[in-house]
Amino acid sequence: MSDWMVTQGPLPRRRPRALSPLREHLRDTFWFAPTAAMVGVFAVWLVAQELDAALVRSLQDDGDFDTLADLLRFADDAKAVVSAVGSAMMTFIGVVFSISLVAVQMASGQFTPRVVRLFVRSRITKATFAVFLATFVLTLLVLTSYDSNADPRAATTVPLVQSVLTLLMVALSLLLFVLYVNATLRLMRVSHVIARIAAESLRVAALMPLPAGAGEEPDVGPVTAWVAHEGRAGVLRDVHVARLVRVARGHGVVLRLVPRTGDFLVPGTPVLAVHGGAAPPRRALRYALSVGVERTFHQDLAFGLRQLSDIGLRALSPAVNDPTTAVQALDRVVQILATLSRRPLDAVPHRDRRGTVRLVQPVPGWAELVDLGFTEVRACAAGSPQVTRRLSAAFDDLLLLVPRERRGPLLRHRELLRQAVERTAPTPADRAFALRPDRQGIG
């Protein structure tokens, strides 16, 4: 319990940075990193080729043809190595691509399709692809630099620097391949996936500014205008808080965001309510809201609980029947709820430099977060004593942490769990066993 109390301490009062649509688009694609790496290695190869040519000219000007002949013999030996590296790189690329596809399929089927984003956005995966392709391109370029003339006096270039560069790229490729396999195996283990989801959720909670009041929506007066969504349909992924605060201050109004981050928007639906004046011009609100095809963790407080609930629900399905995974998901649900147990929720006011509220951003309330974390798992857990015991312990622990006014949702879920177990368990002894609190479920 002492560890939980630490999580309830003061969190940083930082305004969340705006989500860059370009940056997020590049992180969700695989083409940018390999393309940039291939362009970069071409530029490096041009420099290395010029260094090799300068080395040959220097030796010829000094008349050191014996050293130049030794370098030509070394280049002939290195050519075989470079050729072998070029052939092996395509095999390695195929292996990496196959491993990625298998890992994505297994994670999507075993956990939830929403965790695929962990693989798509994996930096080590993109770095491995990029370096492997760059090494393959470099070997092709180096092979074109070999001079067929064996006479040191007539030689124009000896790819010495290029050969060393190729060997360094091969060493880097092997290192990245080991790191890639290790990272992929970790992402295929449910405990690491769940821990990653919880860590990102806690990061979102830490970036939420702390309201000065009790977390209730401040009194901003009646609505004087509405701003409708005019962009494409999609999920609200991000709100540019700083831009909206600046626009509201410049026009002397208060803006209230109507949808929550993660809501699906269609053109024509209200997205901003204006209090205290006319609506700001459309051009001033451009790029203030980011809409995409799927939810992200950025500013989405409920997305982590959504994924954990999906993992626990799938683990309890008859096709999987893995209550231990459901217990692991519940562990992280309890951790997130314990972190948020004493934080003001429902609405987050953002203030300008003078302390005036300029933007009110809705966030899920305590009851909504509790329902999201427990409802679906609780409904499917009545026949699994391991999960019901973990749920009972979760309710007891959270009831010790939350303020009195927030105990209602937890008491409601505990009572619904008791009723479900009584309908499922055949004997009083089975019911008592299934409802006995146990943080490990069953040992």
Side-chain angles (χ1 to χ4, degrees):
M1 179 175 172
S2 58
D3 295 337
W4 287 359
M5 295 303 292
V6 171
T7 64
Q8 297 176 15
L11 294 175
R13 293 174 178 262
R14 291 182 293 170
R15 177 171 291 170
R17 300 177 61 184
L19 187 67
S20 169
L22 177 61
R23 176 175 174 270
E24 287 300 300
H25 173 71
L26 295 179
R27 290 195 64 184
D28 288 338
T29 58
F30 262 91
W31 64 266
F32 177 74
T35 303
M38 288 187 291
V39 173
V41 80
F42 180 77
V44 172
W45 170 75
L46 291 177
V47 175
Q49 187 183 45
E50 183 61 30
L51 291 176
D52 286 329
L55 176 62
V56 171
R57 290 194 299 267
S58 176
L59 291 175
Q60 289 175 342
D61 293 341
D62 295 340
D64 193 354
F65 296 107
D66 293 337
T67 302
L68 188 55
D70 293 337
L71 291 179
L72 287 173
R73 286 191 293 271
F74 171 80
D76 289 336
D77 296 335
K79 184 177 182 180
V81 177
V82 173
S83 300
V85 169
S87 301
M89 278 299 107
M90 290 307 298
T91 303
F92 268 110
I93 292 172
V95 170
V96 171
F97 188 70
S98 300
I99 294 176
S100 297
L101 288 181
V102 172
V104 168
Q105 288 179 334
M106 290 184 63
S108 177
Q110 184 178 357
F111 308 142
T112 171
R114 274 148 293 281
V115 302
V116 174
R117 64 181 297 276
L118 298 178
F119 293 88
V120 175
R121 298 164 69 91
S122 173
R123 291 186 176 91
I124 187 65
T125 301
K126 294 178 182 180
T128 304
F129 271 108
V131 172
F132 277 24
L133 287 173
T135 304
F136 176 70
V137 172
L138 180 62
T139 57
L140 298 181
L141 295 173
V142 172
L143 288 175
T144 63
S145 301
Y146 282 95
D147 196 342
S148 58
N149 194 337
D151 185 4
R153 302 176 183 276
T156 58
T157 181
V158 177
L160 176 63
V161 177
Q162 300 172 62
S163 300
V164 173
L165 180 61
T166 303
L167 295 179
L168 292 177
M169 290 293 292
V170 170
L172 180 60
S173 300
L174 294 176
L175 175 61
L176 283 176
F177 182 72
V178 174
L179 297 177
Y180 164 77
V181 172
N182 178 69
T184 303
L185 291 177
R186 286 173 62 89
L187 287 178
M188 292 173 65
R189 297 168 58 184
V190 64
S191 57
H192 291 283
V193 172
I194 291 175
R196 179 84 170 269
I197 294 172
E200 295 199 34
S201 298
L202 296 176
R203 189 178 302 116
V204 175
L207 289 174
M208 285 179 55
L210 291 173
E216 298 180 356
E217 185 172 332
D219 184 12
V220 294
V223 176
T224 55
W226 296 91
V227 177
H229 176 56
E230 295 183 354
R232 60 174 180 170
V235 177
L236 179 60
R237 305 172 63 185
D238 174 73
V239 179
H240 198 318
V241 174
R243 181 187 296 271
L244 290 177
V245 170
R246 186 166 56 250
V247 170
R249 183 187 61 208
H251 291 79
V253 298
V254 178
L255 299 177
R256 178 170 55 84
L257 191 67
V258 178
R260 290 196 311 228
T261 305
D263 287 355
F264 189 85
L265 302 180
V266 296
T269 56
V271 291
L272 288 172
V274 184
H275 301 260
R282 176 62 60 176
R283 65 178 181 276
L285 300 174
R286 187 177 301 172
Y287 308 122
L289 304 179
S290 175
V291 175
V293 296
E294 63 179 353
R295 297 169 68 174
T296 66
F297 273 103
H298 192 74
Q299 298 185 7
D300 197 340
L301 189 61
F303 189 39
L305 289 175
R306 175 71 273 163
Q307 293 187 71
L308 293 174
S309 179
D310 287 346
I311 293 175
L313 192 62
R314 179 162 298 198
L316 292 176
S317 65
V320 179
N321 195 19
D322 184 12
T324 302
T325 295
V327 169
Q328 290 178 311
L330 287 173
D331 291 340
R332 298 299 181 172
V333 169
V334 174
Q335 179 188 10
I336 296 173
L337 292 177
T339 303
L340 300 172
S341 60
R342 294 182 180 272
R343 286 182 58 88
L345 298 170
D346 296 313
V348 177
H350 299 275
R351 305 174 185 272
D352 59 16
R353 296 177 180 177
R354 297 182 178 180
T356 304
V357 174
R358 292 299 181 184
L359 174 66
V360 179
Q361 183 180 7
V363 296
W366 173 252
E368 295 171 297
L369 293 174
V370 171
D371 291 341
L372 178 57
F374 291 126
T375 300
E376 293 173 317
V377 175
R378 174 186 53 75
C380 296
S384 176
Q386 182 178 354
V387 182
T388 58
R389 289 161 65 97
R390 181 63 186 97
L391 281 169
S392 297
F395 297 144
D396 289 349
D397 292 333
L398 289 174
L399 285 171
L400 295 175
L401 296 175
V402 302
R404 184 177 300 275
E405 62 273 11
R406 289 190 173 182
R407 293 179 179 177
L410 297 171
L411 294 174
R412 172 167 53 85
H413 279 281
R414 187 169 68 174
E415 176 61 22
L416 291 174
L417 177 65
R418 185 189 64 79
Q419 295 176 10
V421 171
E422 287 182 350
R423 289 192 301 266
T424 304
T427 64
D430 290 330
R431 291 193 288 270
F433 179 81
L435 292 175
R436 184 180 305 159
D438 187 343
R439 292 192 181 95
Q440 296 185 19
I442 302 178

